[in-house]
Amino acid sequence: MRRSAVVDESYWLASTPRTHYPAPDEDVTADVAVVGGGIAGLCTAWDLVRSGLDVVLLEADRIAAGVSGYTTAKLSAAHGLVYAPLEAKQGPDAARLYALSQQDAVERTAELCADLRIDADLERAPAFTYLQDPARVPELQEEAAAARRAGLDASFVTDTELPFAIAGAVRVDGQLQFHPRKFLLALAEHLTRAGGRVFERARVTGLHDGHRCRLTTETGVTVRTRDVVIATHYPVFDRTLLFTRLTPRRELVLAAPVPSAAAPAGMYLTPEGGVRSLRSAPYDDERRLAIVTGESFTPGAGDVSERFDRLDSWARAHVPHFDRADSGYRWAAQDNDSLDHVPYVGHAHPGTQHVYVATGFGGWGMSNGVMAGRLLTAHITGAPRPAWTELYDPRRLPPIRDAGRLAAHQAAVAKHFVGDRLHTGHVDSVGDIPPGSGAVVRLDGRRRAVHRDASGQVSALSARCTHLGCLVHFNDAEQAWECPCHGSRFATDGSVLHGPATRPLEPREVPDPPA
């Protein structure tokens, strides 16, 4: 498995085969339609099929190739400094139910791999949340105590295998790390063998919510079902206005092989320095892949290349033998934070009995995706619901104490919606855009998203995101247009990479330069 060049791709995608499920070419009828082929969608579809329902899964592109294909693949109930704040804000029962649901997802994944004989490089490992600032040690001690009260095997420690000094850490034993694509592709195969139907290149653009639901795809296919699950990471149909309570963010990921003896056995996370996460994965007989994550930022914030450079400098300084020039990967993960840092899983809005949603995983999509599968299946089948059902209910009202965060989020969206129209782009003309870059430029009185490829060819698109009309910004490192308001992302040809947008950016003419 020796390589000599850096790959601008997720290791999980680069090390697994492409999928080739068909696109629907005629109308479809089923008991349940699951929209989205990531871990939440696939786990929900599997649990529903196991319950005896006729299930169709609709993926806009390729399954396990969106957010779930770009994760760091830590499957853990240890989500950073979460239990002490949750206990303080929502009470000890909320913290206990959160821990119970997340650890249940960890164990269910291990059981699935054993029962279905899925080889997903599954490894048990402790999870650590550490800090280097001695003044914050009481914060760690409080978190360890809260996590123990919530039922986790948690402790405060000062010694770890990290090759640099820390002030302390919260250690939670009994967690998992795995290869998400190996797990999800195998699960999809078992799903189809059990009678489920998987369709790719089936972007859903319309939803009729009623006693019988109806979905329409961009190719005109109609899907009729009793129930619908929207598991698209960010809800593409949002009648509860969840976008007012979700904040998108991206984090960069670097990976490089290191000698096995130098690779961490545990999973490490610190909120310091823009967030830094470290774990390793099997690679070859002599090496493991060190995976470093960090540089959390809002889509469209810019300077992504500089952020990659900062993360690379941190990795080289903190991980022995980390050198992506030998062979390595880089990619970016995206997720959404809920207002109260608890996901939204359940009925999509108060007026529906048949449309469900799973979103707001806050960077912990692996455990939350598995949790969502169990919870949504109980909703749909009428089985006894888990004790944590109300904790995750999307219809819950934002706490009064979170009103400030809600207002700040809406103010940031409004700033982009209005302010970006007053301050256009980074350049004054198309001629100022260098090869391999893009900018929003005013052309003939209208703002256009203009890109110049490596050969110098120029193309232009509408600069308005097709979700709610915010102006897109260009991500130089990933060569994509991004909406800073709600996280939609588009390729340089305008096609949708991430929702909530379901329609591409429209192409526009590039006027000839003046003679």
Side-chain angles (χ1 to χ4, degrees):
M1 203 173 195
R2 300 281 179 174
R3 297 178 175 87
S4 59
V6 175
V7 179
D8 281 320
E9 180 59 284
S10 156
Y11 170 72
W12 318 122
L13 286 162
S15 59
T16 48
R18 290 176 57 86
T19 55
H20 298 282
Y21 289 97
D25 56 7
E26 60 182 7
D27 291 352
V28 177
T29 301
D31 293 328
V32 186
V34 177
V35 184
I39 189 166
L42 282 164
C43 286
T44 301
W46 170 251
D47 285 345
L48 289 168
V49 166
R50 286 286 301 273
S51 299
L53 296 180
D54 180 17
V55 179
V56 58
L57 184 143
L58 306 165
E59 165 56 41
D61 190 13
R62 299 294 185 188
I63 62 168
V67 173
S68 293
Y70 289 83
T71 175
T72 51
K74 295 187 289 186
L75 214 162
S76 173
H79 295 174
L81 301 175
V82 62
Y83 289 100
L86 186 58
E87 184 181 79
K89 291 181 179 180
Q90 298 192 39
D93 281 347
R96 178 182 60 80
L97 291 172
Y98 189 86
L100 182 64
S101 65
Q102 299 300 317
Q103 192 63 37
D104 178 79
V106 171
E107 302 308 328
R108 283 172 66 83
T109 303
E111 291 170 6
L112 268 176
C113 288
D115 293 345
L116 301 179
R117 299 182 181 179
I118 296 175
D119 181 5
D121 297 340
L122 197 69
E123 297 176 320
R124 287 280 181 181
F128 297 84
T129 301
Y130 71 90
L131 293 169
Q132 294 182 283
D133 181 0
R136 298 184 68 180
V137 164
E139 191 176 351
L140 292 171
Q141 294 170 329
E142 183 181 3
E143 175 66 19
R148 281 197 305 274
R149 288 192 294 270
L152 297 180
D153 185 3
S155 58
F156 171 76
V157 298
T158 55
D159 294 326
T160 70
E161 62 180 332
L162 291 173
F164 52 88
I166 65 168
V170 179
R171 173 175 176 147
V172 179
D173 287 310
Q175 308 307 296
L176 293 176
Q177 55 189 13
F178 70 153
H179 192 304
R181 285 266 298 179
K182 288 183 178 180
F183 172 72
L184 293 174
L185 297 190
L187 191 62
E189 291 181 5
H190 284 283
L191 171 65
T192 56
R193 289 178 196 152
R197 288 169 286 173
V198 174
F199 291 111
E200 296 182 324
R201 304 295 170 89
R203 185 177 298 280
V204 176
T205 56
L207 165 64
H208 170 77
D209 178 1
H211 180 67
R212 291 289 296 178
C213 296
R214 184 173 68 252
L215 299 166
T216 54
T217 73
E218 62 182 353
T219 60
V221 169
T222 298
V223 181
R224 292 179 174 85
T225 65
R226 183 191 66 200
D227 296 295
V228 171
V229 173
I230 307 299
T232 55
H233 175 62
Y234 198 119
V236 293
F237 305 107
D238 194 0
R239 296 169 189 178
T240 50
L241 301 181
L242 280 177
F243 66 82
T244 65
R245 292 184 280 153
L246 289 170
T247 304
R249 62 180 163 93
R250 289 181 73 71
E251 288 184 338
L252 306 182
V253 186
L254 300 176
V258 300
S260 295
M267 300 176 284
Y268 292 87
L269 172 72
T270 179
E272 293 176 317
V275 179
R276 294 292 185 264
S277 170
L278 173 63
R279 63 156 288 203
S280 68
Y283 190 73
D284 60 24
D285 292 341
E286 301 173 354
R287 301 177 294 175
R288 288 179 64 87
L289 195 71
I291 303 170
V292 177
T293 310
E295 292 296 316
S296 180
F297 64 99
T298 301
D303 300 325
V304 180
S305 293
E306 294 179 13
R307 297 175 191 276
F308 267 121
D309 289 342
R310 286 199 294 270
L311 189 61
D312 186 67
S313 295
W314 186 93
R316 291 172 183 271
H318 292 81
V319 183
H321 309 288
F322 190 95
D323 183 4
R324 292 189 306 120
D326 170 32
S327 56
Y329 304 83
R330 76 173 193 175
W331 66 91
Q334 183 157 324
D335 216 320
N336 304 294
D337 296 311
S338 71
L339 195 63
D340 58 5
H341 302 293
V342 175
Y344 302 116
V345 182
H347 287 95
H349 58 86
T352 185
Q353 292 298 315
H354 297 285
V355 177
Y356 303 85
V357 69
T359 188
F361 294 161
W364 301 99
M366 297 296 97
S367 60
N368 277 307
V370 178
M371 178 275 295
R374 177 181 177 186
L375 178 50
L376 293 174
T377 297
H379 272 294
I380 292 169
T381 63
R385 296 178 186 177
W388 50 83
T389 298
E390 291 187 9
L391 176 68
Y392 294 104
D393 193 337
R395 299 168 297 183
R396 66 186 186 269
L397 295 176
I400 297 296
R401 59 181 165 268
D402 285 333
R405 294 186 64 241
L406 177 62
H409 171 57
Q410 292 311 304
V413 171
K415 178 181 176 181
H416 284 297
F417 192 86
V418 177
D420 288 353
R421 284 162 167 76
L422 300 177
H423 307 284
T424 304
H426 308 93
V427 299
D428 296 322
S429 69
V430 173
D432 293 331
I433 299 175
S437 188
V440 174
V441 184
R442 185 184 290 274
L443 299 176
D444 294 337
R446 296 182 180 275
R447 291 168 177 80
R448 303 296 183 226
V450 181
H451 174 251
R452 187 186 299 275
D453 67 19
S455 69
Q457 185 69 34
V458 174
S459 60
L461 304 163
S462 168
R464 294 183 58 189
C465 175
T466 56
H467 176 226
L468 291 178
C470 292
L471 295 186
V472 296
H473 294 200
F474 192 69
N475 178 329
D476 58 337
E478 298 180 84
Q479 294 289 293
W481 296 103
E482 299 177 340
C483 175
C485 292
H486 305 109
S488 295
R489 303 181 69 246
F490 306 85
T492 54
D493 65 359
S495 58
V496 177
L497 297 175
H498 282 106
T502 60
R503 294 179 291 111
L505 298 177
E506 297 179 0
R508 293 289 187 263
E509 294 284 336
V510 180
D512 294 329

